[in-house]
Amino acid sequence: MTLNYSCGFRESVAALGDYEKAGLDIVFVPEAYSFDAISQLGFVAARTERLEIASGILQIYTRTPTLTAMTAAGLDYVSDGRFTLGIGASGPQVVEGFHGQPYSAPLARTREIVEICRSVWRREEVVHEGTHYRIPLPPEQGTGLGKPLKLINRPVRERIPIALAAIGPKNVALAAEIAEGWMPMFFHPEKADEVWGPALAEGSARRDAALGTLDVMVSAPLAIGEDIDDLIDLARPQLALYIGGMGARGRNFYNDLARRYGYESQAAAVQDLYLSGRKDEAAAAVPADLLRATALIGPASHVAERLDAFRAAGVTTLRVNPVAPDPARRLSDVEALKVMAS
């Protein structure tokens, strides 16, 4: 599951021991424009023993490629080999608005960053002549004193798993080609092949067999019970935020995804309402069938059916967000889902 980055972090970490016993396998710590994910991932590593940890996600523009590699190697070390590096391009509003970095060439930069990270983890002298990153820095761009260096420490693993957050066709093809894992947003099992199938096939055709099978990591809100149909509405604000407000008009990747799912008019309405400040109305305008298709909320039989649909669509890792109001109920929902998934 993904830990909340805006509040209650310590409380969430304190409960992770119970979730581990219930069957939780991996916990993601996001990094939007909140506290950094790295310090919190180190905290989680120190408070857990079996649980895998992952960044979900680090923006590719905010750290140099070698620092990203060093950070991943450090987290893998303090967690005894339990870390997955989740990275993504984020969007112009965060990258340019909060970090002051130009949002340019996300695909090419991602490919170079992955290459550099793997070179660092192999403890090679890092020499990279790319379009966007040149290591060492050429003499004409600096003092001329830079020289190839390799990581001093020996990493726990020379191949730390990398998962790419991607929803656009070219980004998805890149994930299928070069990454161990792929993290799409609000995944609709019945429409996934139509929307992403060609991109996944394109990338898979170029995939190195040494990477193994692509780990498809999909997020879904979770609540199991006969009396919790109303909890589906708890997913409305987040979908409204992404479809309506996570980007500008004409440059919102999540709005584009909703349109590709076939919700052209609804996506436009949600965006219009959200950008005009009518967030509650935007949430109410999120299509009910999209909510239900992307969630694991309802009676156990319904959740089991949706689990089968996710599995049939190629999902291999479920990133759940337990939404039941009672902590004990949230824990039992994870435990029940683990049994279903097994």
mmCIF file of all heavy atoms in Angstrom, residues 224-276:
data_model
loop_
_atom_site.group_PDB
_atom_site.id
_atom_site.type_symbol
_atom_site.label_atom_id
_atom_site.label_comp_id
_atom_site.label_asym_id
_atom_site.label_seq_id
_atom_site.Cartn_x
_atom_site.Cartn_y
_atom_site.Cartn_z
ATOM 1 N N ILE A 224 -13.982 -4.080 1.972
ATOM 2 C CA ILE A 224 -14.740 -5.312 1.749
ATOM 3 C C ILE A 224 -15.863 -5.403 2.770
ATOM 4 O O ILE A 224 -15.652 -5.251 3.970
ATOM 5 C CB ILE A 224 -13.827 -6.549 1.871
ATOM 6 C CG1 ILE A 224 -12.657 -6.453 0.893
ATOM 7 C CG2 ILE A 224 -14.620 -7.835 1.615
ATOM 8 C CD1 ILE A 224 -11.608 -7.544 1.068
ATOM 9 N N GLY A 225 -17.092 -5.640 2.295
ATOM 10 C CA GLY A 225 -18.235 -5.785 3.193
ATOM 11 C C GLY A 225 -19.550 -5.609 2.467
ATOM 12 O O GLY A 225 -19.594 -5.087 1.347
ATOM 13 N N GLU A 226 -20.601 -6.046 3.116
ATOM 14 C CA GLU A 226 -21.941 -5.954 2.512
ATOM 15 C C GLU A 226 -22.547 -4.569 2.666
ATOM 16 O O GLU A 226 -23.491 -4.228 1.975
ATOM 17 C CB GLU A 226 -22.871 -6.983 3.178
ATOM 18 C CG GLU A 226 -22.431 -8.428 3.030
ATOM 19 C CD GLU A 226 -22.508 -8.913 1.596
ATOM 20 O OE1 GLU A 226 -23.342 -8.394 0.839
ATOM 21 O OE2 GLU A 226 -21.736 -9.829 1.230
ATOM 22 N N ASP A 227 -21.986 -3.766 3.559
ATOM 23 C CA ASP A 227 -22.629 -2.509 3.933
ATOM 24 C C ASP A 227 -21.774 -1.289 3.585
ATOM 25 O O ASP A 227 -21.926 -0.230 4.195
ATOM 26 C CB ASP A 227 -22.911 -2.499 5.433
ATOM 27 C CG ASP A 227 -21.641 -2.697 6.268
ATOM 28 O OD1 ASP A 227 -20.649 -3.193 5.700
ATOM 29 O OD2 ASP A 227 -21.659 -2.365 7.465
ATOM 30 N N ILE A 228 -20.902 -1.420 2.596
ATOM 31 C CA ILE A 228 -19.945 -0.333 2.385
ATOM 32 C C ILE A 228 -19.974 0.213 0.951
ATOM 33 O O ILE A 228 -18.991 0.795 0.498
ATOM 34 C CB ILE A 228 -18.511 -0.769 2.780
ATOM 35 C CG1 ILE A 228 -18.131 -2.167 2.262
ATOM 36 C CG2 ILE A 228 -18.353 -0.772 4.272
ATOM 37 C CD1 ILE A 228 -17.804 -2.243 0.846
ATOM 38 N N ASP A 229 -21.080 0.049 0.256
ATOM 39 C CA ASP A 229 -21.158 0.571 -1.106
ATOM 40 C C ASP A 229 -20.891 2.068 -1.156
ATOM 41 O O ASP A 229 -20.342 2.580 -2.140
ATOM 42 C CB ASP A 229 -22.535 0.282 -1.722
ATOM 43 C CG ASP A 229 -22.576 -1.087 -2.375
ATOM 44 O OD1 ASP A 229 -21.512 -1.734 -2.434
ATOM 45 O OD2 ASP A 229 -23.660 -1.517 -2.805
ATOM 46 N N ASP A 230 -21.277 2.783 -0.100
ATOM 47 C CA ASP A 230 -21.090 4.231 -0.097
ATOM 48 C C ASP A 230 -19.619 4.620 -0.046
ATOM 49 O O ASP A 230 -19.260 5.750 -0.386
ATOM 50 C CB ASP A 230 -21.834 4.860 1.083
ATOM 51 C CG ASP A 230 -21.365 4.309 2.420
ATOM 52 O OD1 ASP A 230 -21.139 3.076 2.494
ATOM 53 O OD2 ASP A 230 -21.234 5.081 3.375
ATOM 54 N N LEU A 231 -18.748 3.685 0.355
ATOM 55 C CA LEU A 231 -17.331 4.015 0.454
ATOM 56 C C LEU A 231 -16.699 4.242 -0.913
ATOM 57 O O LEU A 231 -15.616 4.808 -1.009
ATOM 58 C CB LEU A 231 -16.572 2.900 1.186
ATOM 59 C CG LEU A 231 -16.887 2.737 2.680
ATOM 60 C CD1 LEU A 231 -16.026 1.643 3.286
ATOM 61 C CD2 LEU A 231 -16.678 4.043 3.430
ATOM 62 N N ILE A 232 -17.371 3.809 -1.969
ATOM 63 C CA ILE A 232 -16.846 4.051 -3.309
ATOM 64 C C ILE A 232 -16.701 5.546 -3.557
ATOM 65 O O ILE A 232 -15.819 5.987 -4.301
ATOM 66 C CB ILE A 232 -17.750 3.399 -4.382
ATOM 67 C CG1 ILE A 232 -17.017 3.292 -5.721
ATOM 68 C CG2 ILE A 232 -19.040 4.155 -4.550
ATOM 69 C CD1 ILE A 232 -15.976 2.242 -5.770
ATOM 70 N N ASP A 233 -17.562 6.333 -2.907
ATOM 71 C CA ASP A 233 -17.495 7.777 -3.110
ATOM 72 C C ASP A 233 -16.232 8.402 -2.520
ATOM 73 O O ASP A 233 -15.867 9.528 -2.879
ATOM 74 C CB ASP A 233 -18.736 8.453 -2.508
ATOM 75 C CG ASP A 233 -19.993 8.173 -3.317
ATOM 76 O OD1 ASP A 233 -19.872 8.007 -4.551
ATOM 77 O OD2 ASP A 233 -21.085 8.111 -2.728
ATOM 78 N N LEU A 234 -15.558 7.669 -1.633
ATOM 79 C CA LEU A 234 -14.315 8.190 -1.069
ATOM 80 C C LEU A 234 -13.215 8.308 -2.124
ATOM 81 O O LEU A 234 -12.252 9.047 -1.944
ATOM 82 C CB LEU A 234 -13.836 7.286 0.070
ATOM 83 C CG LEU A 234 -14.706 7.260 1.326
ATOM 84 C CD1 LEU A 234 -14.145 6.274 2.339
ATOM 85 C CD2 LEU A 234 -14.813 8.652 1.949
ATOM 86 N N ALA A 235 -13.380 7.583 -3.232
ATOM 87 C CA ALA A 235 -12.388 7.661 -4.303
ATOM 88 C C ALA A 235 -12.640 8.846 -5.233
ATOM 89 O O ALA A 235 -11.790 9.170 -6.071
ATOM 90 C CB ALA A 235 -12.389 6.364 -5.116
ATOM 91 N N ARG A 236 -13.788 9.480 -5.112
ATOM 92 C CA ARG A 236 -14.137 10.582 -6.018
ATOM 93 C C ARG A 236 -13.163 11.774 -5.943
ATOM 94 O O ARG A 236 -12.711 12.265 -6.989
ATOM 95 C CB ARG A 236 -15.566 11.066 -5.751
ATOM 96 C CG ARG A 236 -16.632 10.124 -6.240
ATOM 97 C CD ARG A 236 -18.032 10.713 -6.065
ATOM 98 N NE ARG A 236 -19.029 9.798 -6.582
ATOM 99 C CZ ARG A 236 -19.355 9.698 -7.870
ATOM 100 N NH1 ARG A 236 -18.761 10.486 -8.757
ATOM 101 N NH2 ARG A 236 -20.271 8.836 -8.261
ATOM 102 N N PRO A 237 -12.825 12.271 -4.742
ATOM 103 C CA PRO A 237 -11.956 13.460 -4.694
ATOM 104 C C PRO A 237 -10.607 13.248 -5.369
ATOM 105 O O PRO A 237 -10.105 14.144 -6.059
ATOM 106 C CB PRO A 237 -11.814 13.722 -3.196
ATOM 107 C CG PRO A 237 -13.045 13.136 -2.584
ATOM 108 C CD PRO A 237 -13.333 11.914 -3.397
ATOM 109 N N GLN A 238 -10.007 12.061 -5.189
ATOM 110 C CA GLN A 238 -8.696 11.843 -5.794
ATOM 111 C C GLN A 238 -8.804 11.782 -7.319
ATOM 112 O O GLN A 238 -7.994 12.386 -8.031
ATOM 113 C CB GLN A 238 -8.051 10.555 -5.281
ATOM 114 C CG GLN A 238 -6.618 10.389 -5.834
ATOM 115 C CD GLN A 238 -6.002 9.057 -5.511
ATOM 116 O OE1 GLN A 238 -6.678 8.037 -5.515
ATOM 117 N NE2 GLN A 238 -4.712 9.047 -5.236
ATOM 118 N N LEU A 239 -9.791 11.069 -7.829
ATOM 119 C CA LEU A 239 -9.947 11.015 -9.283
ATOM 120 C C LEU A 239 -10.264 12.397 -9.841
ATOM 121 O O LEU A 239 -9.764 12.771 -10.908
ATOM 122 C CB LEU A 239 -11.048 10.018 -9.663
ATOM 123 C CG LEU A 239 -10.656 8.546 -9.656
ATOM 124 C CD1 LEU A 239 -11.817 7.677 -10.112
ATOM 125 C CD2 LEU A 239 -9.450 8.294 -10.536
ATOM 126 N N ALA A 240 -11.071 13.169 -9.127
ATOM 127 C CA ALA A 240 -11.385 14.525 -9.582
ATOM 128 C C ALA A 240 -10.129 15.393 -9.599
ATOM 129 O O ALA A 240 -9.916 16.190 -10.525
ATOM 130 C CB ALA A 240 -12.447 15.145 -8.683
ATOM 131 N N LEU A 241 -9.279 15.232 -8.576
ATOM 132 C CA LEU A 241 -8.027 15.987 -8.515
ATOM 133 C C LEU A 241 -7.157 15.682 -9.731
ATOM 134 O O LEU A 241 -6.646 16.593 -10.390
ATOM 135 C CB LEU A 241 -7.275 15.644 -7.232
ATOM 136 C CG LEU A 241 -5.806 16.087 -7.163
ATOM 137 C CD1 LEU A 241 -5.695 17.605 -7.199
ATOM 138 C CD2 LEU A 241 -5.136 15.520 -5.910
ATOM 139 N N TYR A 242 -6.992 14.393 -10.038
ATOM 140 C CA TYR A 242 -6.108 14.018 -11.137
ATOM 141 C C TYR A 242 -6.720 14.361 -12.496
ATOM 142 O O TYR A 242 -6.055 14.963 -13.349
ATOM 143 C CB TYR A 242 -5.770 12.524 -11.055
ATOM 144 C CG TYR A 242 -4.656 12.229 -10.080
ATOM 145 C CD1 TYR A 242 -4.923 12.028 -8.729
ATOM 146 C CD2 TYR A 242 -3.337 12.180 -10.496
ATOM 147 C CE1 TYR A 242 -3.899 11.777 -7.822
ATOM 148 C CE2 TYR A 242 -2.298 11.929 -9.607
ATOM 149 C CZ TYR A 242 -2.594 11.736 -8.271
ATOM 150 O OH TYR A 242 -1.577 11.500 -7.384
ATOM 151 N N ILE A 243 -7.977 13.985 -12.698
ATOM 152 C CA ILE A 243 -8.608 14.228 -13.989
ATOM 153 C C ILE A 243 -8.838 15.719 -14.210
ATOM 154 O O ILE A 243 -8.695 16.231 -15.326
ATOM 155 C CB ILE A 243 -9.948 13.465 -14.093
ATOM 156 C CG1 ILE A 243 -9.696 11.953 -14.058
ATOM 157 C CG2 ILE A 243 -10.698 13.835 -15.371
ATOM 158 C CD1 ILE A 243 -10.966 11.120 -13.953
ATOM 159 N N GLY A 244 -9.166 16.430 -13.131
ATOM 160 C CA GLY A 244 -9.529 17.830 -13.282
ATOM 161 C C GLY A 244 -8.432 18.828 -12.983
ATOM 162 O O GLY A 244 -8.354 19.873 -13.641
ATOM 163 N N GLY A 245 -7.589 18.533 -11.990
ATOM 164 C CA GLY A 245 -6.681 19.564 -11.513
ATOM 165 C C GLY A 245 -5.207 19.267 -11.575
ATOM 166 O O GLY A 245 -4.385 20.143 -11.278
ATOM 167 N N MET A 246 -4.822 18.038 -11.943
ATOM 168 C CA MET A 246 -3.397 17.700 -11.944
ATOM 169 C C MET A 246 -2.797 18.015 -13.315
ATOM 170 O O MET A 246 -2.450 17.142 -14.099
ATOM 171 C CB MET A 246 -3.202 16.224 -11.602
ATOM 172 C CG MET A 246 -1.790 15.884 -11.169
ATOM 173 S SD MET A 246 -1.316 16.653 -9.601
ATOM 174 C CE MET A 246 -2.111 15.590 -8.406
ATOM 175 N N GLY A 247 -2.698 19.305 -13.577
ATOM 176 C CA GLY A 247 -2.210 19.762 -14.877
ATOM 177 C C GLY A 247 -3.084 20.887 -15.398
ATOM 178 O O GLY A 247 -4.173 21.156 -14.875
ATOM 179 N N ALA A 248 -2.606 21.528 -16.426
ATOM 180 C CA ALA A 248 -3.353 22.640 -17.016
ATOM 181 C C ALA A 248 -4.319 22.124 -18.084
ATOM 182 O O ALA A 248 -4.204 20.987 -18.551
ATOM 183 C CB ALA A 248 -2.381 23.641 -17.638
ATOM 184 N N ARG A 249 -5.242 22.969 -18.478
ATOM 185 C CA ARG A 249 -6.148 22.602 -19.556
ATOM 186 C C ARG A 249 -5.330 22.358 -20.829
ATOM 187 O O ARG A 249 -4.504 23.177 -21.224
ATOM 188 C CB ARG A 249 -7.159 23.733 -19.786
ATOM 189 C CG ARG A 249 -8.380 23.316 -20.593
ATOM 190 C CD ARG A 249 -9.290 24.524 -20.817
ATOM 191 N NE ARG A 249 -9.694 25.147 -19.561
ATOM 192 C CZ ARG A 249 -10.706 24.722 -18.815
ATOM 193 N NH1 ARG A 249 -11.401 23.662 -19.179
ATOM 194 N NH2 ARG A 249 -11.018 25.358 -17.687
ATOM 195 N N GLY A 250 -5.527 21.207 -21.432
ATOM 196 C CA GLY A 250 -4.769 20.862 -22.618
ATOM 197 C C GLY A 250 -3.435 20.214 -22.323
ATOM 198 O O GLY A 250 -2.730 19.784 -23.240
ATOM 199 N N ARG A 251 -3.043 20.117 -21.026
ATOM 200 C CA ARG A 251 -1.775 19.474 -20.648
ATOM 201 C C ARG A 251 -1.980 18.737 -19.324
ATOM 202 O O ARG A 251 -1.338 19.008 -18.330
ATOM 203 C CB ARG A 251 -0.668 20.525 -20.531
ATOM 204 C CG ARG A 251 0.747 19.917 -20.409
ATOM 205 C CD ARG A 251 1.238 19.401 -21.729
ATOM 206 N NE ARG A 251 2.538 18.734 -21.609
ATOM 207 C CZ ARG A 251 3.716 19.364 -21.663
ATOM 208 N NH1 ARG A 251 3.759 20.681 -21.816
ATOM 209 N NH2 ARG A 251 4.832 18.693 -21.576
ATOM 210 N N ASN A 252 -2.938 17.827 -19.350
ATOM 211 C CA ASN A 252 -3.232 17.016 -18.170
ATOM 212 C C ASN A 252 -3.236 15.560 -18.619
ATOM 213 O O ASN A 252 -4.152 15.096 -19.301
ATOM 214 C CB ASN A 252 -4.591 17.401 -17.573
ATOM 215 C CG ASN A 252 -4.938 16.593 -16.329
ATOM 216 O OD1 ASN A 252 -4.633 15.413 -16.246
ATOM 217 N ND2 ASN A 252 -5.602 17.223 -15.381
ATOM 218 N N PHE A 253 -2.183 14.816 -18.241
ATOM 219 C CA PHE A 253 -2.013 13.450 -18.708
ATOM 220 C C PHE A 253 -3.122 12.535 -18.201
ATOM 221 O O PHE A 253 -3.511 11.581 -18.884
ATOM 222 C CB PHE A 253 -0.652 12.905 -18.259
ATOM 223 C CG PHE A 253 0.504 13.818 -18.597
ATOM 224 C CD1 PHE A 253 1.396 14.235 -17.623
ATOM 225 C CD2 PHE A 253 0.682 14.276 -19.889
ATOM 226 C CE1 PHE A 253 2.459 15.069 -17.921
ATOM 227 C CE2 PHE A 253 1.746 15.122 -20.212
ATOM 228 C CZ PHE A 253 2.629 15.520 -19.221
ATOM 229 N N TYR A 254 -3.644 12.824 -17.011
ATOM 230 C CA TYR A 254 -4.673 11.978 -16.419
ATOM 231 C C TYR A 254 -6.031 12.245 -17.080
ATOM 232 O O TYR A 254 -6.830 11.324 -17.254
ATOM 233 C CB TYR A 254 -4.739 12.213 -14.915
ATOM 234 C CG TYR A 254 -3.371 12.142 -14.276
ATOM 235 C CD1 TYR A 254 -2.664 13.304 -13.948
ATOM 236 C CD2 TYR A 254 -2.752 10.916 -14.050
ATOM 237 C CE1 TYR A 254 -1.402 13.238 -13.397
ATOM 238 C CE2 TYR A 254 -1.479 10.852 -13.502
ATOM 239 C CZ TYR A 254 -0.813 12.017 -13.184
ATOM 240 O OH TYR A 254 0.448 11.951 -12.645
ATOM 241 N N ASN A 255 -6.260 13.483 -17.434
ATOM 242 C CA ASN A 255 -7.463 13.807 -18.190
ATOM 243 C C ASN A 255 -7.425 13.104 -19.548
ATOM 244 O O ASN A 255 -8.430 12.549 -20.016
ATOM 245 C CB ASN A 255 -7.580 15.322 -18.361
ATOM 246 C CG ASN A 255 -8.928 15.750 -18.904
ATOM 247 O OD1 ASN A 255 -9.175 15.700 -20.100
ATOM 248 N ND2 ASN A 255 -9.818 16.160 -18.011
ATOM 249 N N ASP A 256 -6.240 13.106 -20.158
ATOM 250 C CA ASP A 256 -6.079 12.405 -21.437
ATOM 251 C C ASP A 256 -6.391 10.922 -21.282
ATOM 252 O O ASP A 256 -7.017 10.315 -22.162
ATOM 253 C CB ASP A 256 -4.642 12.563 -21.952
ATOM 254 C CG ASP A 256 -4.315 13.992 -22.363
ATOM 255 O OD1 ASP A 256 -5.255 14.782 -22.568
ATOM 256 O OD2 ASP A 256 -3.110 14.301 -22.473
ATOM 257 N N LEU A 257 -5.965 10.320 -20.164
ATOM 258 C CA LEU A 257 -6.219 8.906 -19.944
ATOM 259 C C LEU A 257 -7.717 8.632 -19.822
ATOM 260 O O LEU A 257 -8.230 7.664 -20.400
ATOM 261 C CB LEU A 257 -5.491 8.429 -18.686
ATOM 262 C CG LEU A 257 -5.743 6.980 -18.275
ATOM 263 C CD1 LEU A 257 -5.376 6.011 -19.386
ATOM 264 C CD2 LEU A 257 -4.977 6.648 -16.987
ATOM 265 N N ALA A 258 -8.423 9.471 -19.064
ATOM 266 C CA ALA A 258 -9.869 9.295 -18.939
ATOM 267 C C ALA A 258 -10.557 9.374 -20.299
ATOM 268 O O ALA A 258 -11.481 8.611 -20.596
ATOM 269 C CB ALA A 258 -10.445 10.340 -17.987
ATOM 270 N N ARG A 259 -10.088 10.268 -21.141
ATOM 271 C CA ARG A 259 -10.650 10.382 -22.492
ATOM 272 C C ARG A 259 -10.353 9.118 -23.303
ATOM 273 O O ARG A 259 -11.207 8.644 -24.061
ATOM 274 C CB ARG A 259 -10.081 11.617 -23.190
ATOM 275 C CG ARG A 259 -10.544 12.940 -22.574
ATOM 276 C CD ARG A 259 -9.766 14.125 -23.157
ATOM 277 N NE ARG A 259 -10.121 15.373 -22.506
ATOM 278 C CZ ARG A 259 -11.078 16.203 -22.936
ATOM 279 N NH1 ARG A 259 -11.767 15.900 -24.031
ATOM 280 N NH2 ARG A 259 -11.334 17.317 -22.279
ATOM 281 N N ARG A 260 -9.145 8.590 -23.156
ATOM 282 C CA ARG A 260 -8.794 7.370 -23.885
ATOM 283 C C ARG A 260 -9.614 6.181 -23.394
ATOM 284 O O ARG A 260 -9.850 5.227 -24.147
ATOM 285 C CB ARG A 260 -7.296 7.090 -23.736
ATOM 286 C CG ARG A 260 -6.430 8.084 -24.521
ATOM 287 C CD ARG A 260 -4.997 8.076 -24.048
ATOM 288 N NE ARG A 260 -4.357 6.774 -24.199
ATOM 289 C CZ ARG A 260 -3.317 6.360 -23.477
ATOM 290 N NH1 ARG A 260 -2.827 7.152 -22.530
ATOM 291 N NH2 ARG A 260 -2.779 5.189 -23.691
ATOM 292 N N TYR A 261 -10.051 6.211 -22.157
ATOM 293 C CA TYR A 261 -10.950 5.183 -21.644
ATOM 294 C C TYR A 261 -12.363 5.314 -22.241
ATOM 295 O O TYR A 261 -13.188 4.418 -22.081
ATOM 296 C CB TYR A 261 -11.066 5.292 -20.124
ATOM 297 C CG TYR A 261 -9.962 4.629 -19.344
ATOM 298 C CD1 TYR A 261 -9.637 5.091 -18.072
ATOM 299 C CD2 TYR A 261 -9.263 3.523 -19.829
ATOM 300 C CE1 TYR A 261 -8.641 4.485 -17.318
ATOM 301 C CE2 TYR A 261 -8.261 2.921 -19.089
ATOM 302 C CZ TYR A 261 -7.959 3.394 -17.830
ATOM 303 O OH TYR A 261 -6.978 2.791 -17.075
ATOM 304 N N GLY A 262 -12.634 6.436 -22.887
ATOM 305 C CA GLY A 262 -13.949 6.644 -23.483
ATOM 306 C C GLY A 262 -14.815 7.652 -22.765
ATOM 307 O O GLY A 262 -16.000 7.814 -23.098
ATOM 308 N N TYR A 263 -14.254 8.369 -21.790
ATOM 309 C CA TYR A 263 -15.031 9.334 -21.009
ATOM 310 C C TYR A 263 -14.697 10.762 -21.444
ATOM 311 O O TYR A 263 -14.356 11.607 -20.617
ATOM 312 C CB TYR A 263 -14.732 9.159 -19.521
ATOM 313 C CG TYR A 263 -15.068 7.789 -18.974
ATOM 314 C CD1 TYR A 263 -14.071 6.852 -18.747
ATOM 315 C CD2 TYR A 263 -16.381 7.447 -18.684
ATOM 316 C CE1 TYR A 263 -14.368 5.590 -18.244
ATOM 317 C CE2 TYR A 263 -16.691 6.189 -18.178
ATOM 318 C CZ TYR A 263 -15.682 5.269 -17.966
ATOM 319 O OH TYR A 263 -15.989 4.016 -17.472
ATOM 320 N N GLU A 264 -14.817 11.043 -22.727
ATOM 321 C CA GLU A 264 -14.423 12.360 -23.242
ATOM 322 C C GLU A 264 -15.223 13.497 -22.619
ATOM 323 O O GLU A 264 -14.665 14.453 -22.067
ATOM 324 C CB GLU A 264 -14.571 12.405 -24.770
ATOM 325 C CG GLU A 264 -13.592 11.544 -25.527
ATOM 326 C CD GLU A 264 -14.129 10.130 -25.749
ATOM 327 O OE1 GLU A 264 -15.187 9.791 -25.151
ATOM 328 O OE2 GLU A 264 -13.498 9.378 -26.503
ATOM 329 N N SER A 265 -16.540 13.410 -22.676
ATOM 330 C CA SER A 265 -17.374 14.504 -22.169
ATOM 331 C C SER A 265 -17.281 14.616 -20.655
ATOM 332 O O SER A 265 -17.229 15.718 -20.091
ATOM 333 C CB SER A 265 -18.829 14.311 -22.600
ATOM 334 O OG SER A 265 -19.350 13.093 -22.096
ATOM 335 N N GLN A 266 -17.230 13.461 -19.967
ATOM 336 C CA GLN A 266 -17.138 13.491 -18.506
ATOM 337 C C GLN A 266 -15.799 14.070 -18.047
ATOM 338 O O GLN A 266 -15.750 14.843 -17.084
ATOM 339 C CB GLN A 266 -17.319 12.079 -17.935
ATOM 340 C CG GLN A 266 -18.670 11.462 -18.214
ATOM 341 C CD GLN A 266 -18.679 10.575 -19.449
ATOM 342 O OE1 GLN A 266 -18.001 10.888 -20.442
ATOM 343 N NE2 GLN A 266 -19.421 9.488 -19.395
ATOM 344 N N ALA A 267 -14.731 13.723 -18.753
ATOM 345 C CA ALA A 267 -13.417 14.258 -18.397
ATOM 346 C C ALA A 267 -13.384 15.765 -18.581
ATOM 347 O O ALA A 267 -12.814 16.496 -17.757
ATOM 348 C CB ALA A 267 -12.331 13.593 -19.244
ATOM 349 N N ALA A 268 -13.996 16.237 -19.645
ATOM 350 C CA ALA A 268 -14.051 17.683 -19.889
ATOM 351 C C ALA A 268 -14.855 18.382 -18.798
ATOM 352 O O ALA A 268 -14.466 19.455 -18.308
ATOM 353 C CB ALA A 268 -14.662 17.954 -21.262
ATOM 354 N N ALA A 269 -15.979 17.773 -18.399
ATOM 355 C CA ALA A 269 -16.829 18.377 -17.370
ATOM 356 C C ALA A 269 -16.109 18.426 -16.025
ATOM 357 O O ALA A 269 -16.154 19.446 -15.316
ATOM 358 C CB ALA A 269 -18.131 17.587 -17.243
ATOM 359 N N VAL A 270 -15.430 17.334 -15.655
ATOM 360 C CA VAL A 270 -14.697 17.295 -14.388
ATOM 361 C C VAL A 270 -13.613 18.374 -14.377
ATOM 362 O O VAL A 270 -13.441 19.096 -13.394
ATOM 363 C CB VAL A 270 -14.072 15.905 -14.158
ATOM 364 C CG1 VAL A 270 -13.112 15.932 -12.960
ATOM 365 C CG2 VAL A 270 -15.164 14.866 -13.915
ATOM 366 N N GLN A 271 -12.904 18.515 -15.488
ATOM 367 C CA GLN A 271 -11.845 19.521 -15.554
ATOM 368 C C GLN A 271 -12.408 20.935 -15.470
ATOM 369 O O GLN A 271 -11.861 21.785 -14.744
ATOM 370 C CB GLN A 271 -11.044 19.347 -16.838
ATOM 371 C CG GLN A 271 -9.811 20.257 -16.905
ATOM 372 C CD GLN A 271 -8.968 19.971 -18.116
ATOM 373 O OE1 GLN A 271 -9.430 20.107 -19.244
ATOM 374 N NE2 GLN A 271 -7.715 19.575 -17.904
ATOM 375 N N ASP A 272 -13.479 21.203 -16.196
ATOM 376 C CA ASP A 272 -14.089 22.539 -16.152
ATOM 377 C C ASP A 272 -14.507 22.905 -14.731
ATOM 378 O O ASP A 272 -14.258 24.028 -14.269
ATOM 379 C CB ASP A 272 -15.309 22.596 -17.086
ATOM 380 C CG ASP A 272 -14.919 22.607 -18.557
ATOM 381 O OD1 ASP A 272 -13.744 22.912 -18.854
ATOM 382 O OD2 ASP A 272 -15.779 22.297 -19.403
ATOM 383 N N LEU A 273 -15.150 21.972 -14.057
ATOM 384 C CA LEU A 273 -15.613 22.229 -12.701
ATOM 385 C C LEU A 273 -14.435 22.417 -11.741
ATOM 386 O O LEU A 273 -14.429 23.335 -10.915
ATOM 387 C CB LEU A 273 -16.495 21.072 -12.225
ATOM 388 C CG LEU A 273 -17.866 20.963 -12.901
ATOM 389 C CD1 LEU A 273 -18.507 19.611 -12.618
ATOM 390 C CD2 LEU A 273 -18.784 22.094 -12.429
ATOM 391 N N TYR A 274 -13.434 21.566 -11.865
ATOM 392 C CA TYR A 274 -12.302 21.621 -10.938
ATOM 393 C C TYR A 274 -11.514 22.915 -11.102
ATOM 394 O O TYR A 274 -11.165 23.579 -10.118
ATOM 395 C CB TYR A 274 -11.386 20.419 -11.142
ATOM 396 C CG TYR A 274 -10.551 20.111 -9.921
ATOM 397 C CD1 TYR A 274 -10.962 19.149 -9.002
ATOM 398 C CD2 TYR A 274 -9.366 20.796 -9.665
ATOM 399 C CE1 TYR A 274 -10.214 18.866 -7.874
ATOM 400 C CE2 TYR A 274 -8.618 20.516 -8.529
ATOM 401 C CZ TYR A 274 -9.038 19.566 -7.642
ATOM 402 O OH TYR A 274 -8.309 19.308 -6.520
ATOM 403 N N LEU A 275 -11.242 23.270 -12.348
ATOM 404 C CA LEU A 275 -10.431 24.462 -12.594
ATOM 405 C C LEU A 275 -11.190 25.754 -12.281
ATOM 406 O O LEU A 275 -10.566 26.810 -12.127
ATOM 407 C CB LEU A 275 -9.931 24.472 -14.042
ATOM 408 C CG LEU A 275 -8.945 23.347 -14.402
ATOM 409 C CD1 LEU A 275 -8.512 23.459 -15.859
ATOM 410 C CD2 LEU A 275 -7.724 23.378 -13.471
ATOM 411 N N SER A 276 -12.507 25.665 -12.173
ATOM 412 C CA SER A 276 -13.286 26.842 -11.783
ATOM 413 C C SER A 276 -13.486 26.905 -10.271
ATOM 414 O O SER A 276 -14.229 27.765 -9.768
ATOM 415 C CB SER A 276 -14.645 26.841 -12.490
ATOM 416 O OG SER A 276 -15.436 25.740 -12.077
#
